[in-house]
């Protein structure tokens, strides 16, 4: 035993000193790419490597679809001795592909117009999680006693109602600085791209549509709080709580920190005094209130416009406060910094003219008063370029917001000379960043200070707005690189948004009390991103400790020389989600969804989704889609085809591999009649146990193998997978993991609209109380139609049923149902037309 133990020690030591095998990788945008967009991957190798060509391969057929030559070499990067940019932008055919270069093969990725669908709404998951007051994620309330005024000349110690808003990050502090910027960015996103946002949650953040876009619900939540932080004209507040909050990880509804008012019994609310504030040994450098006042003004002015359709009283109230807030900034110019007590970490904002510029522009847009336009112009000329752009470093949030939205509005103000001036300012900031970016294989010229992903999002936004204003594509490749960086085209090959995409590599251990407590992940949250190694090594308490029992991911093999990124619970410098960064990304992702819809020729996605699957098409249209599934039975073929032909209806048919192999003649008849014929999987697998939908019975590899085999069988029947991009899962049963695995393959799950029980036509009399006769099903469909309508319904009927069921719905009742619904004014729409794919 002793000799064996010594041998193991020697072998282990040898393994430590022996070099690892050099390897190669291709980094991609894991979400995928729009067909008509810039598409560039990055090849990197740990050894000297010359790449002369690279190929794009169809992931379903493994056939090379295009070979590209002369990739752009971009030199050494950290431990990578060779890197190349692999440009395949000219390839625009929708499908699912992977890249091959050298010895490396990329993960597969889709190219289609729908890859960004739902992504902006996905970010709102994190915003709802961050709600203070009633928290829909926890279904409980927190911080209901806020708060007690500090630093007011006459009201210090008084109680003030400032419930609501969002927690800033993993701690429970709340700042006007970041919250107001988050509100403004979400309002701008909705104003520019309203068609990209859906309605799946109510005003409280709980599941259930309320007739208001979810992003407007979130905007309203933020504006309610901001309104409380400005109770009367001229009285502005900047912060709730301080760093005494940093008392260990706990859930917000279990927060018992004592600020001197009793454990959990209210927190300090900092008044905008315009003077330095200190409670302990740390003193901020406040010089005025204009940075905060400008944010109040811009949010209230734009908020009055955004909310007037849904909340006219609140819209009028905040609209009436906008000018007064702005005047506080005029009276007390300067920056209003946040305050700390125990540590030196604060938001060190020291610019403010950008906030006043934006406030003046929104007041000009609201009132038409030219004086505001002139003031905005004067403020804008005092800071032509946001100073971090092109800089190597900056203090924490020193120049904030990270992008000057006022410049964009001045450039659109209708004065050509003014437009040229402020477009030039926008271009200068981009050019300064571009000059640094060209040194990186990832075309990423962002300084790696704390919250570098927020800077990435800001520059991404500025690039897109500049391109829209001018039509100048000079920086379009950098814009694409910044976007792709956030979704995995970076040294680490990881997305920077939690669970987006769920099928990819993403932060699995973000710095989060929710994760630490085991109650869930920070779904949709944008994490801080890489920081200079020197910053990471200088911070207090930051470390690589992961979730108990799961080590943190240090990505040591991929760390560049000067910066680091980790996926570890206790690395709050690179792996902490932030509310403002997440909100700021809603504009760009909604713009990408809108661009995809334009490429697809679709005006708006009105489909209703459950767990990523479409369960209803546009509920505003009096349309129905008939879909049919089958695993191994086809006894309904003649009756169904005869009935559909009689009524001139094109149905959607979804079959297993066994069906395609058994009934090739029926498949041919369906294709000849121009019906949609798609996949119902190959092996009719049960993906999840019936008693636990959140677990899985198959691995991703097993799922993909089954789907590939399904489409290989369909290809033999003359159906290319690109012509069958929607599929119904076996047993009509799936969860969010299955839906995103399908999306990664370029496929969209659809399913029947629940409620009508049309899918119960497979039941047999021996099932007892679960049996549903054809008459019962028909009556139920008509009952639902009378009560709530069938607009957008996907009605599912089985193509064949067990011989024990002699009462076949397709024999008579299908025809009767179609006749009745046509008389009621419904049209029957083909599946792809109905879902818009």
């Amino acid at each position: 035993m002793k000799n064996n133990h010594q041998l193991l020690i020697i072998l282990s030591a040898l393994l430590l000193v022996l070099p690892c095998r050099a390897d190669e990788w291709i980094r991609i945008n894991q979400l995928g790419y729009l067909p008509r967009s810039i598409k560039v991957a990055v090849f990197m190798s740990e050894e000297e490597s010359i790449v002369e060509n690279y190929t794009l391969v169809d992931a379903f057929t493994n056939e090379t679809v295009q070979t590209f030559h002369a990739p752009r070499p971009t030199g050494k990067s950290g431990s990578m001795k060779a890197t190349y940019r692999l440009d395949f932008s000219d390839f625009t055919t929708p499908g699912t592909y992977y890249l091959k270069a050298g010895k490396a093969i990329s993960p597969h990725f889709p190219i289609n117009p729908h890859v960004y669908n739902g992504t902006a709404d996905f970010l709102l998951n994190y915003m709802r999680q961050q709600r203070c007051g009633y928290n829909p994620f926890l279904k409980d309330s927190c911080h209901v006693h806020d708060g007690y005024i500090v630093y007011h000349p006459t009201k210090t110690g008084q109680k003030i109602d400032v419930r609501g808003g969002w927690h800033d990050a993993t701690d429970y502090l709340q700042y006007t600085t970041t919250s107001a910027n988050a509100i403004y960015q979400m309002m701008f996103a909705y104003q520019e791209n309203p068609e990209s946002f859906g309605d799946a949650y109510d005003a409280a953040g709980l599941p259930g549509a309320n007739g208001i876009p979810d992003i407007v619900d979130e905007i309203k939540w933020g504006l309610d709080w901001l309104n409380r932080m400005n109770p009367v004209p001229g009285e502005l507040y900047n912060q709730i709580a301080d760093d005494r909050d940093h008392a260990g990880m706990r859930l917000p509804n279990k927060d018992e920190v004592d600020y001197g008012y009793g454990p959990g019994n209210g927190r300090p609310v900092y008044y905008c005094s315009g003077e330095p504030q200190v409670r302990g040994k740390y003193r901020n450098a406040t010089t005025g209130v204009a940075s905060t006042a400008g944010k109040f003004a811009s949010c209230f002015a734009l908020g009055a416009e955004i909310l007037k359709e849904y909340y006219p009283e609140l819209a009028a109230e905040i609209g009436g406060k906008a000018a007064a807030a702005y005047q506080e900034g005029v009276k007390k110019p300067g920056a209003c910094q946040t305050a700390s007590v125990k540590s030196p970490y604060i938001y060190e904002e020291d610019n403010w003219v950008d906030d006043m510029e934006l406030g003046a522009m929104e007041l000009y847009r609201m009132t038409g008063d030219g004086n505001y336009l002139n003031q905005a112009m004067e403020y804008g000329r005092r800071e032509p370029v946001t100073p971090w752009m092109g800089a190597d470093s900056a203090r924490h949030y020193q120049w904030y917001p990270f992008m000057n939205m006022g410049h964009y509005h001045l450039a659109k103000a209708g004065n050509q000379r003014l437009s040229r001036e402020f477009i030039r300012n926008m271009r200068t900031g981009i050019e300064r960043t571009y000059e640094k970016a060209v040194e990186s294989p990832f075309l990423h010229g962002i300084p790696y200070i704390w919250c570098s992903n927020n800077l990435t999002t800001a520059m991404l936004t500025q690039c897109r707005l500049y391109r829209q204003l001018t039509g100048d594509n000079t920086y379009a490749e950098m814009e694409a690189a910044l976007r792709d960086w956030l979704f995995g085209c970076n040294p680490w090959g990881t997305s920077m948004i939690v669970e987006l995409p769920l099928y990819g590599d993403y932060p699995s251990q973000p710095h989060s009390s929710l994760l630490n407590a085991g109650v869930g992940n920070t779904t949709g949250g944008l994490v801080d991103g890489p920081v200079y190694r020197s910053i990471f090594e200088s911070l207090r308490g930051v470390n690589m400790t992961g979730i108990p029992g799961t080590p943190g991911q240090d990505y040591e093999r991929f760390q560049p020389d000067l910066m680091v990124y980790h996926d570890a619970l206790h690395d709050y410098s690179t792996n902490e989600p932030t509310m403002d960064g997440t909100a700021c990304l809603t504009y760009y992702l909604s713009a990408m969804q809108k661009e995809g819809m334009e490429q697809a020729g679709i005006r708006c996605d009105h489909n209703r989704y459950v767990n990523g699957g479409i369960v209803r098409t546009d509920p505003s249209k009096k349309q129905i889609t008939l879909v049919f599934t089958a695993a191994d039975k086809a006894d309904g073929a003649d009756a169904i085809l005869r009935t559909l032909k009689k009524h001139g209806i094109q149905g959607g048919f979804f079959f297993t591999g066994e069906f395609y192999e058994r009934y090739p003649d029926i498949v041919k008849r369906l294709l000849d009649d121009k019906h949609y014929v798609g996949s119902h999987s190959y092996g009719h697998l049960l993906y999840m146990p019936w008693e636990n939908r959140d677990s899985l019975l198959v691995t991703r590899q097993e799922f993909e193998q089954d789907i590939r085999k399904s489409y290989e069988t369909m290809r033999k029947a003359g159906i290319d997978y690109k012509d069958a991009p929607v599929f119904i899962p076996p047993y009509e049963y799936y969860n969010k993991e299955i839906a995103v695995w399908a999306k990664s393959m370029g496929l969209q799950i659809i399913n029947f609209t629940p409620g009508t029980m049309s899918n119960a036509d497979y039941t047999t009399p021996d099932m007892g109380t679960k049996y549903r006769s054809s008459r019962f099903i028909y009556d139920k469909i008509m009952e639902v139609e009378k009560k709530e309508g069938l607009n957008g319904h996907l009605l599912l009927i089985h193509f064949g049923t067990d011989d024990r069921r002699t009462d076949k719905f397709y024999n008579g009742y299908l025809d009767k149902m179609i006749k009745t619904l046509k008389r009621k004014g419904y049209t029957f729409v083909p599946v792809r037309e109905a879902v818009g794919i």
Side-chain angles (χ1 to χ4, degrees), residues 343-477:
S343 72
Y345 307 139
I346 62 170
Y347 291 140
E348 300 180 71
E349 186 177 10
D350 67 9
N351 63 335
W352 54 273
V353 294
D354 54 341
D355 297 300
M356 292 298 287
E357 176 188 353
L358 182 57
M361 277 307 300
E362 288 298 348
L363 282 163
Y364 168 67
R365 280 155 45 86
M366 183 175 77
T367 66
D369 185 341
N371 290 321
Y372 287 124
L373 178 62
N374 292 332
Q375 290 168 30
M377 178 179 63
E378 291 171 5
Y379 283 124
R381 285 172 174 165
R382 294 172 68 174
E383 190 178 88
V385 178
T386 304
W388 73 261
M389 297 178 182
D392 290 324
S393 191
R395 297 194 305 277
H396 190 43
Y397 278 55
Q398 181 179 3
W399 296 303
Y400 188 79
F402 298 121
M403 182 228 161
N404 190 335
M405 292 296 299
H407 281 9
Y408 169 72
H409 289 305
L410 278 165
K412 288 186 66 180
N415 181 303
Q416 288 189 359
R417 181 182 61 81
L418 202 60
S419 179
R420 286 194 297 269
E421 177 183 352
F422 282 90
I423 285 174
R424 182 171 64 249
N425 292 342
M426 293 178 69
R427 182 174 61 247
T428 300
I430 296 170
E431 177 63 27
R432 289 180 181 178
T433 305
Y434 181 77
E435 288 171 357
K436 292 184 63 181
V438 293
E439 300 173 1
S440 162
F442 296 96
L443 210 58
H444 196 256
I446 303 299
Y448 299 106
I449 57 176
W450 212 341
C451 297
S452 65
N453 278 343
N454 290 13
L455 304 185
T456 298
T457 298
M459 180 51 61
L460 184 57
T461 299
Q462 183 150 319
C463 285
R464 184 176 186 90
L465 293 178
Y466 167 79
R467 181 165 56 87
Q468 286 183 182
L469 282 168
T470 65
D472 179 6
N473 289 317
T474 301
Y475 308 104
E477 185 179 352

Side-chain angles (χ1 to χ4, degrees), residues 423-689:
I423 285 174
R424 182 171 64 249
N425 292 342
M426 293 178 69
R427 182 174 61 247
T428 300
I430 296 170
E431 177 63 27
R432 289 180 181 178
T433 305
Y434 181 77
E435 288 171 357
K436 292 184 63 181
V438 293
E439 300 173 1
S440 162
F442 296 96
L443 210 58
H444 196 256
I446 303 299
Y448 299 106
I449 57 176
W450 212 341
C451 297
S452 65
N453 278 343
N454 290 13
L455 304 185
T456 298
T457 298
M459 180 51 61
L460 184 57
T461 299
Q462 183 150 319
C463 285
R464 184 176 186 90
L465 293 178
Y466 167 79
R467 181 165 56 87
Q468 286 183 182
L469 282 168
T470 65
D472 179 6
N473 289 317
T474 301
Y475 308 104
E477 185 179 352
M478 183 176 77
E479 177 191 329
L482 291 165
R483 174 188 70 227
D484 296 347
W485 173 275
L486 295 176
F487 291 105
C489 192
N490 55 50
W492 313 276
T494 182
S495 169
M496 297 292 174
I497 298 98
V498 178
E499 297 186 359
L500 187 62
L502 188 62
Y503 53 79
D505 188 296
Y506 57 81
S508 60
Q509 298 196 52
H511 182 67
S512 163
S513 297
L514 299 176
L515 196 66
N516 188 65
V519 298
N521 211 338
T522 56
T523 303
L526 173 73
V527 298
D528 284 337
V531 299
Y532 290 120
R533 193 179 297 271
S534 59
I535 292 178
F536 174 76
E537 293 172 352
S538 70
L539 293 173
R540 300 178 180 184
V542 65
N543 61 70
M544 282 299 300
T545 306
I547 303 169
T550 306
Q553 168 62 271
D554 61 12
Y555 291 108
E556 182 178 358
R557 196 171 188 180
F558 306 111
Q559 301 291 8
D561 295 329
L562 296 177
M563 59 173 160
V564 295
Y565 171 77
H566 309 111
D567 184 14
L569 182 67
H570 291 281
D571 179 6
Y572 62 82
S573 66
T574 74
N575 207 39
E576 181 176 17
T578 63
M579 171 270 300
D580 62 317
T582 301
C584 291
L585 192 53
T586 58
Y587 163 70
Y588 194 85
L589 293 187
S590 63
M592 290 301 292
Q593 177 171 334
K594 181 178 179 179
E595 185 177 329
M597 290 190 292
E598 290 170 352
Q599 291 189 20
I602 299 167
R603 291 190 61 189
C604 197
D605 180 7
H606 290 298
N607 295 315
R608 294 291 174 86
Y609 293 81
V610 172
N611 290 324
I614 297 172
V615 300
R616 189 174 184 177
T617 68
D618 190 346
S620 70
K621 294 182 178 179
K622 207 164 184 179
Q623 65 182 32
I624 293 170
T625 297
L626 296 180
V627 293
F628 304 82
T629 60
D632 58 359
K633 294 179 175 59
D635 47 280
D638 290 338
I640 290 169
L641 268 66
R642 183 172 60 251
T643 302
L644 295 184
K645 182 173 286 188
K646 172 184 174 181
H647 292 284
I649 293 172
Q650 288 181 293
F653 295 84
F654 300 84
F655 301 137
T656 64
E658 181 180 356
F659 187 99
Y660 280 102
E661 291 164 350
R662 273 191 178 192
Y663 306 110
D665 292 342
I666 291 175
V667 172
K668 185 176 184 305
R669 286 173 62 191
L670 290 166
L671 293 173
D672 288 345
D673 286 350
K674 309 299 182 185
H675 295 290
Y676 177 94
V677 186
S679 174
H680 193 44
S681 81
Y682 179 82
H684 208 243
L685 306 178
L686 181 63
Y687 294 146
M688 307 90 63

Side-chain angles (χ1 to χ4, degrees), residues 704-722:
E704 291 184 351
Q705 286 175 344
D706 178 78
I707 291 295
R708 286 196 181 94
K709 193 171 182 181
S710 170
Y711 278 91
E712 181 182 343
T713 304
M714 290 164 59
R715 190 162 55 250
K716 293 174 182 175
I719 305 165
D720 189 90
Y721 80 90
K722 296 171 187 177

Side-chain angles (χ1 to χ4, degrees), residues 615-616 751-760 772 776-785 787-790 793-796:
V615 300
R616 189 174 184 177
N751 207 5
F752 63 86
T753 307
T756 65
M757 301 193 76
S758 70
N759 58 303
R772 298 289 182 266
F776 176 92
I777 292 169
Y778 174 84
D779 288 345
K780 183 66 176 178
I781 292 170
M782 296 307 155
E783 176 189 326
V784 173
E785 193 284 326
K787 184 177 180 180
E788 57 193 55
L790 298 175
H793 267 237
L794 291 154
L795 286 178
L796 184 141

